[in-house]
Amino acid sequence: MNATQPDPVFAREALLLAPYAMHSVDTGGRKHPEPPHPYRGPYQRDRDRIVHSAAFRRLSHKTQVFTGDMGDYHRTRLTHTLEVASIARTLARALRLNEDLVEALALAHDLGHPPFGHSGEDVLDECLRDHGGFNHNAQALRVVELLENRYPEYPGLNLSREVLDGQARRIDKRAGEVSPLLEVQVVDAADSIAYDSHDADDALELRLLSLPQLLEVPLWRDAAGRVQKRYASLDDRQLRRAIVHEVINWQVDDIRETVDRELAERGVASVADVRRAPILAAPSTSLAELKSGLERFLFREVYRHEAVQGPRESARQALGEMFDFFTGDPEQLPPKFRQRIAADGVPRAVADYLAGMTDRFALDEHRRLLRS
């Protein structure tokens, strides 16, 4: 047993976790070694550090798909993150995986998102096209390894290697000769389940879609059929909410059943076996086809909707103009980001500053700097 970790955590995990789960006793540790905590395992500490970070709090005012001025019902980047964590933990418990590691991975997965969702990411990627580009998954690593400054001993949050490696795998899911931990795979699956289900729900609430439109999509139509077998009479709002629940539950059950089957057929009995196997936490062939149909529909009817595109264009303009402003006069950057220039150059330091902004702060800064 590794004497640098709290024994109660090891004992609990030995009783509860499957042999193919990532046990805390086997952690690769941290870049900057730290003494163990008396009753929190390494991944509990990772989760807590993420939740207490400034980057995590800012997610509450960052766009998921729909901007804040469209209402209060729809998901923000933070509520999406919490829903991913909830789904991922459900899967982890059912599969006897390390729930603390899964939760830490889920809570960290979108920390690098800039304001205005993927539109903001596209702008920063354009601005940095000659400087390595911009990717929100890579930016999340910069946040937790470099930009968060909460401890005097080291930069970043000093997260465990398993959380850092899991986030690094999101940058390019094809990278590497071995598969990621099953905990990492489960978070990826939960992310897909969450946005497929909740983007449709939000679009209905905002009346960008109608229920009859969605019921033409095979996944929603089949989910509605399942619901209507259980409930004789539902009004449209009750039916919609029941379908959203069914779409989530159906996908979770499908992933769980697929993983159980793959584990048994491949004789997976260790983390090493998981790494040698192909991706295990994936939807069945039949459900994957239905998911693809829903995603194509959402891309066409929601993500390209004029009510979504209009704010995106305004956001793109604001971020692009601020990037030009700060790269032309980097002395206007806050001291923390000016200090990054020597190591990373002006464009990257500016992108770090802009990426950390909330939607509201970005628009306020744009008005203050360029519209006064």
Side-chain angles (χ1 to χ4, degrees), residues 59-83 116-117 194-195 197-208 237 240-241 302-303 307-308 311-312 359:
L59 295 179
S60 64
H61 297 289
K62 291 192 178 189
T63 293
Q64 171 64 16
V65 174
F66 308 104
T67 55
D69 57 0
M70 296 178 74
D72 297 325
Y73 176 88
H74 57 271
R75 277 77 178 173
T76 65
R77 188 63 60 179
L78 178 62
T79 53
H80 163 75
T81 295
L82 295 175
E83 288 169 340
F116 313 120
Y195 63 69
S197 309
H198 296 147
D199 289 354
D201 181 38
D202 286 349
L204 284 170
E205 181 70 20
L206 294 168
R207 299 184 180 179
L208 304 185
R237 180 170 289 272
R240 174 187 120 198
R241 289 178 175 171
V302 176
Y303 308 142
V308 176
R312 283 180 176 176
D359 294 8

Side-chain angles (χ1 to χ4, degrees), residues 37-271:
H37 193 275
Y39 50 84
R40 286 188 301 157
Y43 310 129
Q44 278 183 279
R45 298 176 78 184
D46 290 342
R47 177 201 62 200
D48 295 346
R49 291 175 182 195
I50 293 161
V51 168
H52 288 280
S53 70
F56 185 79
R57 291 194 298 277
R58 292 190 189 108
L59 295 179
S60 64
H61 297 289
K62 291 192 178 189
T63 293
Q64 171 64 16
V65 174
F66 308 104
T67 55
D69 57 0
M70 296 178 74
D72 297 325
Y73 176 88
H74 57 271
R75 277 77 178 173
T76 65
R77 188 63 60 179
L78 178 62
T79 53
H80 163 75
T81 295
L82 295 175
E83 288 169 340
V84 171
S86 175
I87 294 168
R89 282 193 70 116
T90 296
L91 278 166
R93 185 168 298 186
L95 296 168
R96 297 171 57 210
L97 301 178
N98 194 314
E99 291 181 50
D100 291 330
L101 174 54
V102 161
E103 188 172 22
L105 287 161
L107 295 175
H109 87 280
D110 269 353
L111 287 179
H113 258 291
F116 313 120
H118 289 286
S119 295
E121 181 170 15
D122 291 344
V123 172
L124 293 181
D125 190 41
E126 265 179 44
C127 292
L128 291 174
R129 64 181 177 273
D130 296 326
H131 306 279
F134 183 91
N135 175 285
H136 76 269
N137 289 314
Q139 188 68 16
L141 281 179
R142 284 183 66 79
V143 168
V144 300
E145 291 190 288
L146 200 62
L147 299 178
E148 280 284 335
N149 292 297
R150 303 192 63 80
Y151 305 97
E153 302 96 330
Y154 42 74
L157 302 180
N158 200 31
L159 302 180
S160 66
R161 295 192 183 279
E162 288 72 37
V163 173
L164 297 179
D165 290 348
Q167 182 62 29
R169 184 58 183 252
R170 293 179 64 85
I171 299 169
D172 184 355
K173 292 182 173 61
R174 301 164 298 177
E177 297 180 358
V178 298
S179 291
L181 296 171
L182 197 46
E183 285 82 358
V184 175
Q185 298 181 38
V186 159
V187 172
D188 282 346
D191 191 21
S192 175
I193 291 169
Y195 63 69
D196 277 358
S197 309
H198 296 147
D199 289 354
D201 181 38
D202 286 349
L204 284 170
E205 181 70 20
L206 294 168
R207 299 184 180 179
L208 304 185
L209 292 176
S210 67
L211 188 56
Q213 274 182 288
L214 265 168
L215 290 175
E216 293 177 5
V217 179
L219 178 57
W220 264 67
R221 184 178 63 239
D222 292 356
R226 291 170 174 233
V227 167
Q228 288 164 334
K229 286 180 181 178
R230 295 199 301 271
Y231 302 104
S233 179
L234 297 175
D235 63 33
D236 282 355
R237 180 170 289 272
Q238 291 173 322
L239 177 60
R240 174 187 120 198
R241 289 178 175 171
I243 293 171
V244 172
H245 295 157
E246 181 62 31
V247 168
I248 294 171
N249 291 337
W250 183 3
Q251 292 182 81
V252 169
D253 284 345
D254 181 82
I255 292 285
R256 180 184 56 79
E257 291 167 3
T258 300
V259 172
D260 280 341
R261 183 175 61 252
E262 290 289 323
L263 290 171
E265 291 179 357
R266 298 178 183 279
V268 173
S270 67
V271 168

Side-chain angles (χ1 to χ4, degrees), residues 189 254-255 258 280-288 291:
D254 181 82
I255 292 285
T258 300
L280 303 172
S284 63
T285 301
S286 58
L287 189 57
K291 279 173 63 67

Side-chain angles (χ1 to χ4, degrees), residues 347-363:
R348 183 63 62 182
V350 171
D352 284 340
Y353 179 47
L354 297 179
M357 293 180 174
T358 63
D359 294 8
R360 180 176 56 200
F361 182 72
L363 293 174

Side-chain angles (χ1 to χ4, degrees), residues 10 16 32 38 50 62 97 204 218-219 273 275 294 310 320 327 335 356:
F10 297 162
L16 297 177
H32 305 283
I50 293 161
K62 291 192 178 189
L97 301 178
L204 284 170
L219 178 57
D273 290 342
R275 292 190 176 280
L294 174 61
T327 51

